[in-house]
Amino acid sequence: MVSERVVSVLALAVVVATALSALWTPFGVDQALFAYGARAISNGDILYRDFWDIKPPGIFAFYLGASLLFGDTEVGIHTADLLWQICLALVLLRLARSGVDHPAAAFVAPFAALSLYWLHGGSEHLTQVEALVGLPIATSLLLVLESATRGPSAPKALLLGVMAGLIMAMKPLYVALPASFVLVAVLRSRSAHRRLEPARVGSLAGMLVVGVGLVWLPMVGYFSYHGIFHEFA
C-alpha cells in the first residue's frame, strides 16, 4: 500500500512541476493593475485615495507582500502564488485523507485542483482573487470538520476567524461559505445531542471575533488614519 507520506510528496511534486512552467506568464490586465497598486503603496501612495479600484484591499495586500518578498515582477508574484497554492495543496490533502479510505486517492484533490490551474490558467487567470481565496476557504472547511470530529478549541476558533477575515478582505461575499460550514456543523451537533455549554459557545465565538479583528483592525486603522474610511467602507 502506498504510504500517505509518499502520496503527499508526489502530489506536491506534480503541483510544483506544473507551476514552474507558468512562473514567467505575463500579467493580464487585472494582475497588472494589482501589481501597479502594490508598487504605488510601497512608494507611499494610499489605496482608494491616490489610486482607486473596485477590488477589496486583500488582493493589493497580497501583491504588496509578494513584491516585497520575491520581487516586483511576474516571476516574483507568481512565486508567491505558488507557495500560497502549495499551502492549499496541503490543506486539500488533509481534507481528502479524511474522506477517503485509500491514501492514493487523496492525490486526486491537489492534482485536479492546482495542476490544471497552473497548466491552463494563462495570463487572465493566474494570481487572481478567485484563485487566492481558495486557501482560506479550504482551511475554514478543514477547521470546522476537525472541530466537529475532535471537538472545538480556542485556537481553532481563532484561526477560523482569521480565515474568515482574509476571505472578507479578498472576496466579501464568499464569507457566506465559512458561515455555512459553521451552521451545518452546529445543526449536526444539535441533532446528535452534543450541545456545548453557553459559556463555552460564548468563549469560542469571542475567539472567532478576535481572529477576524486581527485581519480587519489594521485595515480599518490604516484607512481611518488617512481619513478615507468612507471610501474603504
Side-chain angles (χ1 to χ4, degrees):
M1 177 177 288
V2 181
S3 69
E4 292 188 5
R5 179 173 297 180
V6 171
V7 169
S8 300
V9 171
L10 286 175
L12 291 176
V14 170
V15 171
V16 172
T18 54
L20 288 177
S21 63
L23 292 182
W24 285 265
T25 302
F27 287 149
V29 175
D30 287 344
Q31 296 93 328
L33 177 61
F34 301 149
Y36 169 81
R39 187 180 303 120
I41 294 172
S42 67
N43 290 331
D45 289 350
I46 307 301
L47 179 61
Y48 306 133
R49 188 191 71 184
D50 301 316
F51 73 96
W52 194 91
D53 186 68
I54 195 172
K55 296 291 186 181
I59 186 64
F60 294 103
F62 179 89
Y63 272 70
L64 176 61
S67 63
L68 292 176
L69 290 173
F70 303 107
D72 186 18
T73 64
E74 285 93 342
V75 175
I77 301 300
H78 291 322
T79 298
D81 188 10
L82 171 59
L83 296 177
W84 188 268
Q85 302 301 338
I86 287 175
C87 293
L88 175 57
L90 293 172
V91 174
L92 292 176
L93 277 169
R94 185 75 172 267
L95 286 169
R97 286 203 300 262
S98 67
V100 297
D101 295 328
H102 199 288
F107 175 86
V108 175
F111 173 77
L114 300 180
S115 295
L116 294 178
Y117 164 71
W118 287 106
L119 286 172
H120 302 290
S123 296
E124 296 301 322
H125 301 289
L126 293 179
T127 325
Q128 284 275 22
V129 179
E130 291 78 9
L132 298 174
V133 78
L135 175 58
I137 290 174
T139 305
S140 298
L141 177 58
L142 179 62
L143 289 168
V144 172
L145 287 175
E146 292 200 345
S147 296
T149 56
R150 302 181 183 180
S153 66
K156 291 176 186 175
L158 178 66
L159 185 55
L160 180 58
V162 171
M163 293 301 109
L166 289 175
I167 294 169
M168 293 168 63
M170 290 183 174
K171 203 77 174 178
L173 290 178
Y174 285 17
V175 77
L177 291 171
S180 67
F181 301 155
V182 173
L183 178 61
V184 170
V186 170
L187 292 177
R188 285 178 61 87
S189 66
R190 290 174 69 90
S191 64
H193 304 290
R194 294 182 301 184
R195 299 184 181 181
L196 296 175
E197 294 294 329
R200 178 65 168 159
V201 173
S203 174
L204 293 172
M207 292 303 294
L208 192 149
V209 172
V210 170
V212 173
L214 289 175
V215 177
W216 276 80
L217 285 179
M219 290 191 295
V220 171
Y222 170 85
F223 291 114
S224 297
Y225 176 79
H226 292 289
I228 53 170
F229 181 76
H230 62 285
E231 293 285 351
F232 166 64

